[in-house]
Amino acid sequence: MAALSCCMKWSFGCKVWREGKVQGYRERKRREEKLLDEEEDFSLSNEKDAHASDSDENLERGNWSNKADYLLSMVGYAVGLGNVWRFPYLTYQNGGGAFLIPYTLMLALAGLPLFFMECSLGQFASLGPISVWRILPLFQGVGVTMVIISTFVAIYYNVIIAYALYYLFASFQKVLPWSDCFSWADEFCSKTRLISDCNATLNGEIIHANYSFITSNNLTCINDTINYKPVQFPSEQYWNKVALQRSSGLDETGNIVWYLALCLLLSWMIVGAALFKGIKSSGKVVYFTALFPYVILLILLVRGATLEGALDGIEYYIGKQSNITKLMEAEVWKDAATQIFYSLSVAWGGLVALSSYNKFHNNCYSDAIFVCVTNCLTSVFAGFAIFSVLGHMAFVLERPVSEVVDSGFDLAFVAYPEALSKLPVSPLWSFLFFFMLLLLGLDSQFATIETLTTTIQDIYPQMMKKLRIPITLGVCILLFFLGLICVTQAGIYWVNLIDHFCAGWGILIAAVLEIIGIVYIYGGNRFIEDIEMMIGKKSCFFWLWWRMCWFFLTPVLLVAILVWSLVTFSTPTYGSVLYPAWGTAVGWCMIIFCVIWIPIVAVVKIFKAEGNICQRIVSCCRPTANWGPYLECHRGERYSHVVNPKKEKEHEIPTVSGFTYFRE
């Protein structure tokens, strides 16, 4: 008994000793954590990112200075060059006002649900388009794809801004250089249609002769027998021969057009200057760049509405000349869906990046509605301004409105300059139009580059705090050099090629995988609970429409559009110039380079996971341990277990027995 008692006392003493050692370790650890927290707070106050200020909710990443900065940045990102030429041209091509019907339906069924989803996702986690995929590690490659697509788009989008800059500078002349056939023009240049030949009556007989013979013999052409020469307007030849110095095709690269290269450099300098302090500087610039285009659009609309023939253009746009039968063509519905994607900028990563700087309880639902409606109304409003001028051009040229232009680029840099050259004080109107294009393009470009820098910040936060300005400038310089191929004599073919492939299928693939991953793997109802943590509890009726879209309508619609686009694929062209086979191959290589990271990242994640293959896949389909709201004060009970990734190691408690315990 004495031995047993002694043994029990010894065992109890060892237990007390072990507990004392662990308790002592915990006390020391708590003191160390307190000191570390104080040091970290001191470090944050002295080494603050340019995004952050003392009034921010998130002192590490920073927040928008106010709600207006965010909304104007989002409007500027969504409202871009496509609203002024791509939407009016698609409307023009697809039956006029009839196109507004599929456009509105696609906004409700595809654009708005994805826009709301991406804004909510970025705001909830306060992370960029790659890091936010802690929600579903297996799909992190989707975020990589979005960033790469944004990079490709940034390269060619700034080239279009450079075109606008060139025309802006060219407008500072008493006589616009494209107003007539000057020394750079060839024999096909003409401001009016030229008759080639026709039928006429000579001595009671009908003859067919060229127009010079008809006029020399004082004869008159018989109606409906006139053939016209293939002529080009001065603005068209100026665009091809002077502005672009366009070569015969993608095979003929030619030289770098030096003045376009300088305009491209200037546009990148403007972007770099606006973003050198991140959202704190870009959020102030957008007050001008996002609002002033509306003033110019209003001025152009008022001026266009006073021109002869403007009513014909308006009626074609949204009146009795609209072709309702076009709604029976599948191509019209596909164009409406792709325009919604192009216009709202969903699946590019920019919406996630911009929303990640919101405060946690910001009402992202009302923001999404406001931005989407503003964007689409802007497109419709711009259409009135554009079609009033097209109606005037049709009146002057004695042609139907449907035969005035051939492509979106022609609408912006051929048709509109041609119309502006015919107005009184034409240099002023030309300056206003291209200044508007410049501002619209810069807004979208700011957000695109912010997407790239936000991605870098999430991966290397300490480096971005110290080197934000050099890194931002470095990104701009790198993209400038990559864009030089687009300011060669074959540059317009490269711009059209990148736009055709990367800004089309790449976005659709990313969008399909994004909504499938979040709704069907992470869980749509679970995601709705996350949103309610930010905007408050909502009724089941509130979520009825969003559930219908997220769970069924939107993914089915996106898959249908993607399949239809692939099935109806045809070799890309620019005007009448057909791309060579190797050019099409380069386009497919760009698409593959964008999306190949989806399976690569998935395989890497599975390889790094633990367990057998099924266990690894299952673990990669679950959120990571640090998924949830960025700040501890916002995690609540649902995410109370989430720890800051920087302090994960501090949660280890070694014991004297050599084992390691982890705090829950």
Side-chain angles (χ1 to χ4, degrees):
M1 290 294 291
L4 179 61
S5 176
C6 182
C7 184
M8 290 177 65
K9 288 180 180 178
W10 179 82
S11 177
F12 179 74
C14 288
K15 181 179 179 181
V16 172
W17 178 79
R18 284 197 301 270
E19 290 179 352
K21 291 287 286 184
V22 172
Q23 186 66 26
Y25 178 82
R26 287 174 174 162
E27 289 294 332
R28 290 196 306 274
K29 202 65 180 175
R30 273 195 286 269
R31 288 195 297 270
E32 291 173 4
E33 287 178 0
K34 184 177 180 181
L35 289 172
L36 286 171
D37 288 340
E38 290 175 354
E39 290 176 3
E40 185 176 353
D41 291 341
F42 178 79
S43 175
L44 284 171
S45 63
N46 286 277
E47 190 185 352
K48 203 166 284 165
D49 191 357
H51 276 283
S53 66
D54 294 332
S55 60
D56 287 343
E57 180 180 77
N58 190 329
L59 293 177
E60 293 185 30
R61 297 185 84 253
N63 298 110
W64 294 100
S65 298
N66 54 64
K67 184 71 169 283
D69 289 8
Y70 167 67
L71 287 177
L72 287 176
S73 295
M74 291 288 277
V75 169
Y77 183 44
V79 177
L81 296 172
N83 297 76
V84 174
W85 83 52
R86 199 171 190 271
F87 173 80
Y89 177 70
L90 288 177
T91 306
Y92 172 85
Q93 188 182 44
N94 291 305
F99 182 71
L100 298 179
I101 297 173
Y103 181 76
T104 305
L105 287 175
M106 291 301 169
L107 169 66
L109 297 177
L112 191 52
L114 279 170
F115 196 96
F116 181 32
M117 174 178 283
E118 290 194 9
C119 292
S120 303
L121 188 63
Q123 180 175 309
F124 180 76
S126 297
L127 294 170
I130 293 181
S131 299
V132 80
W133 285 97
R134 293 174 185 174
I135 189 175
L136 187 60
L138 190 70
F139 279 42
Q140 192 170 47
V142 175
V144 178
T145 293
M146 290 179 177
V147 172
I148 294 175
I149 290 174
S150 291
T151 303
F152 275 111
V153 170
I155 291 171
Y156 86 82
Y157 204 79
N158 233 27
V159 174
I160 301 174
I161 296 174
Y163 295 157
L165 272 172
Y166 171 77
Y167 272 84
L168 181 70
F169 294 139
S171 301
F172 287 102
Q173 300 183 44
K174 187 175 181 179
V175 177
L176 292 177
W178 56 83
S179 61
D180 209 338
C181 299
F182 295 111
S183 59
W184 41 262
D186 59 25
E187 68 274 13
F188 298 107
C189 179
S190 175
K191 298 178 68 174
T192 59
R193 293 191 296 177
L194 301 178
I195 299 176
S196 172
D197 51 63
C198 67
N199 293 345
T201 302
L202 179 63
N203 298 326
E205 297 183 1
I206 296 177
I207 63 169
H208 183 81
N210 60 49
Y211 191 63
S212 60
F213 176 83
I214 299 293
T215 54
S216 63
N217 288 277
N218 295 322
L219 302 177
T220 303
C221 289
I222 300 175
N223 291 336
D224 300 326
T225 66
I226 300 173
N227 295 317
Y228 292 93
K229 291 181 180 180
V231 297
Q232 294 177 318
F233 295 119
S235 59
E236 183 178 359
Q237 288 211 349
Y238 184 84
W239 166 243
N240 291 314
K241 289 178 172 291
V242 181
L244 298 179
Q245 295 186 24
R246 180 158 71 98
S247 65
S248 59
L250 199 63
D251 293 312
E252 186 185 350
T253 302
N255 302 317
I256 292 177
V257 183
W258 65 268
Y259 43 81
L260 289 182
L262 290 178
C263 289
L264 181 63
L265 177 62
L266 177 59
S267 63
W268 277 116
M269 290 172 65
I270 295 171
V271 172
L275 294 175
F276 77 102
K277 283 189 177 181
I279 59 170
K280 297 300 184 188
S281 55
S282 67
K284 304 306 177 188
V285 175
V286 294
Y287 279 88
F288 178 74
T289 58
L291 294 177
F292 194 66
Y294 289 97
V295 177
I296 301 177
L297 270 177
L298 181 61
I299 294 172
L300 292 174
L301 173 61
V302 172
R303 183 65 185 99
T306 62
L307 298 173
E308 287 186 283
L311 183 59
D312 292 334
I314 299 299
E315 286 184 346
Y316 184 86
Y317 176 48
I318 195 167
K320 61 185 181 182
Q321 293 188 38
S322 299
N323 187 1
I324 299 296
T325 60
K326 278 280 189 178
L327 298 181
M328 303 301 293
E329 300 177 12
E331 189 73 16
V332 174
W333 294 84
K334 188 195 77 166
D335 284 346
T338 52
Q339 173 59 19
I340 284 293
F341 270 79
Y342 190 93
S343 182
L344 293 180
S345 303
V346 292
W348 289 18
L351 301 179
V352 175
L354 294 179
S355 299
S356 70
Y357 298 107
N358 275 334
K359 293 183 178 180
F360 186 76
H361 292 295
N362 173 65
N363 191 341
C364 52
Y365 167 74
S366 62
D367 293 347
I369 299 294
F370 173 78
V371 175
C372 288
V373 172
T374 300
N375 173 73
C376 294
L377 289 179
T378 301
S379 295
V380 175
F381 179 62
F384 282 100
I386 297 297
F387 274 87
S388 63
V389 175
L390 289 180
H392 175 67
M393 288 188 66
F395 173 80
V396 172
L397 299 174
E398 298 180 354
R399 292 183 182 180
V401 178
S402 58
E403 296 180 7
V404 176
V405 294
D406 296 322
S407 71
F409 278 112
D410 283 357
L411 181 60
F413 295 107
V414 175
Y416 221 97
E418 180 72 24
L420 294 171
S421 68
K422 301 178 185 301
L423 300 179
V425 200
S426 55
L428 172 63
W429 302 111
S430 179
F431 169 81
L432 290 176
F433 178 74
F434 289 108
F435 187 54
M436 176 187 66
L437 288 188
L438 173 65
L439 295 181
L440 289 171
L442 286 175
D443 272 343
S444 300
Q445 191 72 344
F446 292 159
T448 304
I449 302 304
E450 192 62 55
T451 302
L452 306 184
T453 56
T454 297
T455 301
I456 298 172
Q457 177 182 357
D458 289 339
I459 299 174
Y460 305 107
Q462 295 302 322
M463 184 175 70
M464 282 297 286
K465 287 179 181 178
K466 299 176 182 177
L467 303 172
R468 168 168 292 278
I469 294 176
I471 290 174
T472 302
L473 295 180
V475 168
C476 293
I477 292 171
L478 175 63
L479 296 182
F480 163 72
F481 282 110
L482 291 175
L484 286 178
I485 187 67
C486 295
V487 290
T488 60
Q489 290 177 279
I492 190 65
Y493 302 113
W494 286 104
V495 169
N496 190 59
L497 187 70
I498 300 172
D499 178 66
H500 184 82
F501 282 93
C502 292
W505 290 307
I507 295 172
L508 286 174
I509 292 170
V512 168
L513 292 177
E514 178 184 46
I515 196 166
I516 289 175
I518 292 176
V519 172
Y520 290 104
I521 301 179
Y522 176 73
N525 292 327
R526 189 178 181 182
F527 184 63
I528 287 173
E529 290 179 2
D530 291 341
I531 297 175
E532 288 184 332
M533 288 180 64
M534 298 185 292
I535 66 175
K537 193 74 174 175
K538 301 294 182 181
S539 68
C540 59
F541 294 104
F542 175 88
W543 292 112
L544 181 61
W545 171 254
W546 302 107
R547 279 194 170 96
M548 287 173 55
C549 291
W550 288 341
F551 282 86
F552 178 71
L553 295 176
T554 305
V556 168
L557 185 61
L558 294 180
V559 171
I561 295 168
L562 179 60
V563 172
W564 173 256
S565 299
L566 294 173
V567 168
T568 58
F569 171 77
S570 58
T571 303
T573 61
Y574 178 76
S576 60
V577 179
L578 190 67
Y579 278 75
W582 70 265
T584 304
V586 169
W588 283 113
C589 287
M590 286 190 291
I591 278 289
I592 292 171
F593 179 73
C594 289
V595 303
I596 193 65
W597 301 101
I598 298 173
I600 287 177
V601 173
V603 169
V604 170
K605 291 291 184 181
I606 293 173
F607 179 78
K608 289 184 176 181
E610 297 179 353
N612 58 44
I613 186 64
C614 292
Q615 291 172 333
R616 292 183 180 196
I617 293 175
V618 169
S619 66
C620 290
C621 291
R622 293 173 178 166
T624 60
N626 57 355
W627 164 250
Y630 196 92
L631 300 178
E632 292 183 15
C633 61
H634 295 140
R635 291 171 191 161
E637 289 298 322
R638 291 186 66 227
Y639 293 94
S640 58
H641 61 285
V642 175
V643 295
N644 191 320
K646 298 178 182 178
K647 298 183 179 180
E648 282 179 346
K649 292 297 181 182
E650 299 173 12
H651 288 254
E652 300 178 3
I653 304 178
T655 65
V656 293
S657 60
F659 294 98
T660 303
Y661 293 91
F662 292 86
R663 296 182 195 157
E664 293 296 328

